[in-house]
Amino acid sequence: MSATFRYAVNVLPKAGILDPQGRAVEGSLGHLGIEGVSAVRVGRRVELSVAAADEAAARAIVDRLAHELLSNPLIETATFELLMATSSAVSGGSSGASSGGSGR
Amino acid sequence: MSATFRYAVNVLPKAGILDPQGRAVEGSLGHLGIEGVSAVRVGRRVELSVAAADEAAARAIVDRLAHELLSNPLIETATFELLMATSSAVSGGSSGASSGGSGR
Protein backbone atom coordinates (compact mmCIF):
# COMPACT_ATOMS: atom_id res chain seq x y z
CA MET A 1 0.00 0.00 0.00
CA SER A 2 1.44 3.31 -1.01
CA ALA A 3 0.24 6.81 -1.52
CA THR A 4 1.01 9.84 -3.60
CA PHE A 5 1.72 13.16 -1.96
CA ARG A 6 1.77 16.52 -3.70
CA TYR A 7 4.14 19.06 -2.17
CA ALA A 8 5.06 22.65 -2.83
CA VAL A 9 8.64 23.75 -2.13
CA ASN A 10 9.10 27.49 -1.61
CA VAL A 11 12.59 28.90 -2.08
CA LEU A 12 13.36 32.52 -1.18
CA PRO A 13 16.55 34.55 -0.86
CA LYS A 14 17.66 34.82 2.77
CA ALA A 15 17.26 38.12 4.59
CA GLY A 16 20.22 40.34 3.78
CA ILE A 17 20.94 38.60 0.48
CA LEU A 18 20.67 40.87 -2.54
CA ASP A 19 17.51 40.27 -4.54
CA PRO A 20 17.81 42.07 -7.90
CA GLN A 21 14.52 40.61 -9.16
CA GLY A 22 12.73 42.02 -6.14
CA ARG A 23 14.28 45.44 -6.80
CA ALA A 24 13.19 45.21 -10.44
CA VAL A 25 9.59 44.51 -9.40
CA GLU A 26 9.66 47.47 -7.01
CA GLY A 27 11.04 49.65 -9.80
CA SER A 28 8.16 48.68 -12.07
CA LEU A 29 5.40 49.57 -9.61
CA GLY A 30 5.52 53.24 -10.50
CA HIS A 31 4.77 52.52 -14.15
CA LEU A 32 1.64 50.65 -13.08
CA GLY A 33 0.60 53.43 -10.73
CA ILE A 34 0.67 51.09 -7.75
CA GLU A 35 1.60 52.54 -4.36
CA GLY A 36 2.16 51.07 -0.91
CA VAL A 37 4.02 47.94 -1.99
CA SER A 38 7.41 47.24 -0.40
CA ALA A 39 9.79 44.50 0.73
CA VAL A 40 9.41 42.46 -2.46
CA ARG A 41 11.32 39.17 -2.48
CA VAL A 42 11.34 36.97 -5.57
CA GLY A 43 11.99 33.26 -5.23
CA ARG A 44 10.91 29.96 -6.73
CA ARG A 45 8.00 27.63 -6.15
CA VAL A 46 8.31 24.00 -7.16
CA GLU A 47 5.36 21.64 -7.02
CA LEU A 48 5.96 17.89 -7.26
CA SER A 49 4.39 14.52 -6.57
CA VAL A 50 6.05 11.86 -4.42
CA ALA A 51 4.99 8.21 -4.33
CA ALA A 52 5.96 6.71 -0.97
CA ALA A 53 4.78 4.24 1.66
CA ASP A 54 3.66 6.98 4.04
CA GLU A 55 3.90 10.70 4.59
CA ALA A 56 7.05 10.47 6.71
CA ALA A 57 8.89 8.73 3.88
CA ALA A 58 7.60 11.27 1.33
CA ARG A 59 8.56 14.15 3.60
CA ALA A 60 12.13 12.82 3.91
CA ILE A 61 12.46 12.76 0.13
CA VAL A 62 11.09 16.29 -0.28
CA ASP A 63 13.31 17.57 2.50
CA ARG A 64 16.38 16.22 0.73
CA LEU A 65 15.26 17.53 -2.64
CA ALA A 66 14.46 20.97 -1.26
CA HIS A 67 17.86 21.43 0.34
CA GLU A 68 20.16 19.56 -2.07
CA LEU A 69 18.70 20.24 -5.50
CA LEU A 70 16.13 23.02 -5.40
CA SER A 71 17.90 25.58 -3.24
CA ASN A 72 21.33 26.87 -2.36
CA PRO A 73 21.40 26.76 1.46
CA LEU A 74 24.09 29.45 1.58
CA ILE A 75 21.86 32.16 0.19
CA GLU A 76 18.33 30.73 0.13
CA THR A 77 15.83 29.27 2.55
CA ALA A 78 13.62 26.40 1.48
CA THR A 79 10.34 25.44 3.12
CA PHE A 80 7.74 22.99 1.94
CA GLU A 81 4.07 22.28 2.45
CA LEU A 82 1.88 19.29 1.76
CA LEU A 83 -0.78 20.21 -0.80
CA MET A 84 -2.63 16.91 -1.20
CA ALA A 85 -2.37 13.25 -0.25
CA THR A 86 -3.94 10.53 -2.36
CA SER A 87 -4.01 6.94 -1.18
CA SER A 88 -3.63 4.33 -3.87
CA ALA A 89 -4.68 1.45 -1.60
CA VAL A 90 -7.14 -1.00 -3.12
CA SER A 91 -9.25 -1.32 0.02
CA GLY A 92 -9.85 1.44 2.49
CA GLY A 93 -7.11 4.00 2.91
CA SER A 94 -7.54 7.69 3.34
CA SER A 95 -7.11 10.75 1.25
CA GLY A 96 -7.19 14.36 2.17
CA ALA A 97 -5.14 17.46 2.37
CA SER A 98 -3.25 19.14 5.12
CA SER A 99 -0.41 21.57 5.21
CA GLY A 100 2.69 22.23 7.20
CA GLY A 101 6.06 23.75 6.60
CA SER A 102 9.59 22.81 7.40
CA GLY A 103 12.78 24.71 6.95
CA ARG A 104 16.33 24.47 8.17
CA MET B 1 -5.81 53.90 10.40
CA SER B 2 -4.05 51.59 8.02
CA ALA B 3 -2.43 48.21 8.12
CA THR B 4 0.33 46.29 6.45
CA PHE B 5 -0.37 42.97 4.80
CA ARG B 6 2.22 40.41 3.73
CA TYR B 7 1.25 38.31 0.74
CA ALA B 8 2.78 35.48 -1.23
CA VAL B 9 2.06 35.27 -4.95
CA ASN B 10 2.57 31.83 -6.50
CA VAL B 11 3.06 31.66 -10.25
CA LEU B 12 3.14 28.31 -12.04
CA PRO B 13 3.09 27.25 -15.70
CA LYS B 14 -0.41 26.24 -16.80
CA ALA B 15 -1.19 22.58 -17.38
CA GLY B 16 -0.07 21.65 -20.86
CA ILE B 17 2.52 24.41 -21.07
CA LEU B 18 6.08 23.16 -21.54
CA ASP B 19 8.12 23.41 -18.35
CA PRO B 20 11.80 22.87 -19.21
CA GLN B 21 12.91 23.65 -15.66
CA GLY B 22 10.61 20.95 -14.33
CA ARG B 23 12.03 18.47 -16.84
CA ALA B 24 15.55 19.46 -15.76
CA VAL B 25 14.73 18.76 -12.12
CA GLU B 26 13.27 15.38 -13.03
CA GLY B 27 16.40 14.60 -15.03
CA SER B 28 18.59 15.37 -12.01
CA LEU B 29 16.76 13.05 -9.63
CA GLY B 30 18.63 9.98 -10.85
CA HIS B 31 22.00 11.52 -9.95
CA LEU B 32 20.74 12.04 -6.41
CA GLY B 33 19.39 8.49 -6.21
CA ILE B 34 15.89 9.77 -5.54
CA GLU B 35 12.96 7.70 -6.81
CA GLY B 36 9.21 8.16 -6.87
CA VAL B 37 9.16 11.87 -7.73
CA SER B 38 7.10 12.98 -10.72
CA ALA B 39 5.03 15.81 -12.18
CA VAL B 40 7.54 18.51 -11.24
CA ARG B 41 6.45 22.06 -12.09
CA VAL B 42 8.78 24.98 -11.49
CA GLY B 43 7.37 28.46 -11.01
CA ARG B 44 7.97 31.61 -9.00
CA ARG B 45 7.04 32.73 -5.53
CA VAL B 46 6.96 36.44 -4.78
CA GLU B 47 6.46 37.73 -1.25
CA LEU B 48 5.59 41.38 -0.72
CA SER B 49 4.15 43.84 1.77
CA VAL B 50 1.18 46.09 1.01
CA ALA B 51 0.18 49.09 3.11
CA ALA B 52 -3.55 49.73 2.70
CA ALA B 53 -6.63 50.87 4.57
CA ASP B 54 -8.02 47.36 4.86
CA GLU B 55 -7.55 43.87 3.53
CA ALA B 56 -9.94 44.33 0.63
CA ALA B 57 -7.90 47.26 -0.66
CA ALA B 58 -4.64 45.34 -0.21
CA ARG B 59 -6.10 42.31 -1.95
CA ALA B 60 -7.12 44.43 -4.95
CA ILE B 61 -3.55 45.70 -5.31
CA VAL B 62 -2.04 42.22 -5.06
CA ASP B 63 -4.56 40.83 -7.52
CA ARG B 64 -3.56 43.48 -10.06
CA LEU B 65 0.16 42.96 -9.43
CA ALA B 66 -0.14 39.18 -9.66
CA HIS B 67 -1.86 39.25 -13.03
CA GLU B 68 -0.33 42.31 -14.69
CA LEU B 69 3.29 42.31 -13.55
CA LEU B 70 4.22 39.01 -11.92
CA SER B 71 2.72 36.53 -14.35
CA ASN B 72 1.90 36.05 -17.99
CA PRO B 73 -1.79 35.03 -17.99
CA LEU B 74 -1.41 33.31 -21.36
CA ILE B 75 0.90 30.62 -20.04
CA GLU B 76 0.91 30.95 -16.25
CA THR B 77 -1.57 30.84 -13.40
CA ALA B 78 -1.13 33.17 -10.43
CA THR B 79 -2.64 32.62 -7.00
CA PHE B 80 -1.95 34.49 -3.81
CA GLU B 81 -2.28 33.97 -0.09
CA LEU B 82 -2.23 36.30 2.89
CA LEU B 83 0.74 35.47 5.12
CA MET B 84 0.38 38.09 7.84
CA ALA B 85 -1.56 41.22 8.71
CA THR B 86 -0.16 43.91 10.98
CA SER B 87 -2.28 46.82 12.12
CA SER B 88 -0.51 50.13 12.49
CA ALA B 89 -3.37 51.77 14.38
CA VAL B 90 -2.37 53.67 17.52
CA SER B 91 -5.27 52.41 19.60
CA GLY B 92 -6.82 49.01 19.30
CA GLY B 93 -6.71 47.36 15.91
CA SER B 94 -6.13 43.73 15.22
CA SER B 95 -3.35 41.61 13.87
CA GLY B 96 -3.23 38.04 12.85
CA ALA B 97 -2.75 35.74 9.96
CA SER B 98 -5.06 33.91 7.66
CA SER B 99 -4.72 32.47 4.24
CA GLY B 100 -6.70 32.20 1.09
CA GLY B 101 -6.02 31.94 -2.59
CA SER B 102 -7.32 33.56 -5.67
CA GLY B 103 -6.69 32.82 -9.28
CA ARG B 104 -8.23 33.71 -12.56
Side-chain angles (χ1 to χ4, degrees):
Chain A
M1 182 168 112
S2 75
T4 302
F5 303 88
R6 185 88 181 152
Y7 285 92
V9 179
N10 299 316
V11 180
L12 284 166
K14 282 185 179 175
I17 298 291
L18 266 182
D19 178 11
Q21 285 182 285
R23 296 299 77 69
V25 169
E26 288 172 358
S28 301
L29 295 171
H31 302 292
L32 281 171
I34 291 178
E35 288 182 5
V37 174
S38 62
V40 181
R41 305 292 278 171
V42 178
R44 290 186 299 287
R45 181 179 175 94
V46 182
E47 296 189 0
L48 48 88
S49 296
V50 184
D54 53 36
E55 213 245 309
R59 184 169 282 266
I61 290 173
V62 175
D63 189 73
R64 216 185 132 202
L65 258 180
H67 298 103
E68 289 181 26
L69 182 64
L70 303 177
S71 71
N72 177 348
L74 284 178
I75 58 171
E76 296 170 323
T77 57
T79 59
F80 57 88
E81 55 188 308
L82 180 62
L83 299 176
M84 197 169 57
T86 313
S87 174
S88 53
V90 175
S91 63
S94 65
S95 72
S98 67
S99 77
S102 164
R104 71 178 181 203
Chain B
M1 184 167 110
S2 75
T4 301
F5 303 89
R6 186 87 182 152
Y7 285 92
V9 179
N10 299 316
V11 180
L12 283 166
K14 281 185 179 174
I17 297 290
L18 264 182
D19 177 11
Q21 287 184 283
R23 297 297 78 69
V25 170
E26 288 173 357
S28 301
L29 295 171
H31 301 294
L32 281 170
I34 291 178
E35 290 182 2
V37 175
S38 62
V40 180
R41 306 292 279 171
V42 177
R44 289 186 300 288
R45 180 178 176 93
V46 182
E47 295 189 1
L48 49 89
S49 296
V50 184
D54 53 35
E55 213 245 307
R59 182 169 284 266
I61 291 173
V62 176
D63 189 73
R64 211 182 137 205
L65 258 181
H67 298 104
E68 289 183 25
L69 182 64
L70 302 178
S71 70
N72 177 347
L74 285 178
I75 57 170
E76 295 170 323
T77 57
T79 59
F80 57 88
E81 55 187 309
L82 180 62
L83 299 176
M84 197 169 57
T86 312
S87 174
S88 53
V90 176
S91 62
S94 65
S95 71
S98 68
S99 78
S102 165
R104 73 177 177 201

